[in-house]
Amino acid sequence: MALSALAACVLAAAALLWPAATAGAAAAANPPFGTQAKIGLYAPVPAGWAAIAQDQAAGQKTIECLGGAPYLARVGVLANTAVPAGWVLVGVSLDARTSSVAYLGGAPHGATVRTDIGCTMPGGRVYGYPVPAGWTIAGSGTDSSCSWQDLRFA
């Protein structure tokens, strides 16, 4: 009888701990916006993350989680790096090594944002990203180094 009471107690404790264990695993799998980590220089960047810096000598790159970003959050990324859907190019460094990207999710209806669709800088050419779902091109043009387009949220 004592053995079955002990087993029941162990099962009850496991049932109480299981949600905490799975919540911890979910939090690790879905870190908050802005979380940074280092990975190998040639390792693939996980989905939902972007490469923001690299250190050739150390053989690694720094990545940042873009999931859960608020509307118009901006992040500096390595130029021409892949970003999740909903992010657009909004600026390029003069050496064309880094770009600024902004998140358009959660935009109010009628919002307008100017994005770069391609920039030629002294350090090279940097390309923009596709127009996010729900946005339309409201205008476009070219300045001294970049082609731009205004996007409007419908």
Side-chain angles (χ1 to χ4, degrees):
M1 189 73 163
L3 187 57
S4 64
L6 178 62
C9 184
V10 168
L11 288 174
L16 290 174
L17 293 176
W18 180 256
T22 56
N30 298 310
F33 168 68
T35 299
Q36 294 183 1
K38 296 200 181 289
I39 61 173
L41 189 60
Y42 301 105
V45 175
W49 295 68
I52 62 169
Q54 63 184 17
D55 182 344
Q56 295 280 349
Q60 60 188 13
K61 58 187 165 195
T62 303
I63 58 174
E64 185 168 332
C65 179
L66 301 182
Y71 172 60
L72 288 183
R74 291 180 185 238
V75 174
V77 300
L78 295 178
N80 294 322
T81 193
V83 295
W87 289 81
V88 294
L89 180 67
V90 293
V92 178
S93 66
L94 284 177
D95 65 5
R97 291 184 185 178
T98 58
S99 305
S100 292
V101 295
Y103 182 61
L104 299 185
H109 287 287
T112 302
V113 176
R114 177 154 293 175
T115 67
D116 291 323
I117 55 176
C119 297
T120 301
M121 306 307 270
R125 179 110 176 124
V126 177
Y127 297 94
Y129 302 99
V131 175
W135 292 79
T136 59
I137 298 172
S140 61
T142 303
D143 62 21
S144 62
S145 59
C146 293
S147 297
W148 54 266
Q149 60 190 8
D150 289 334
L151 301 181
R152 179 170 295 122
F153 188 61

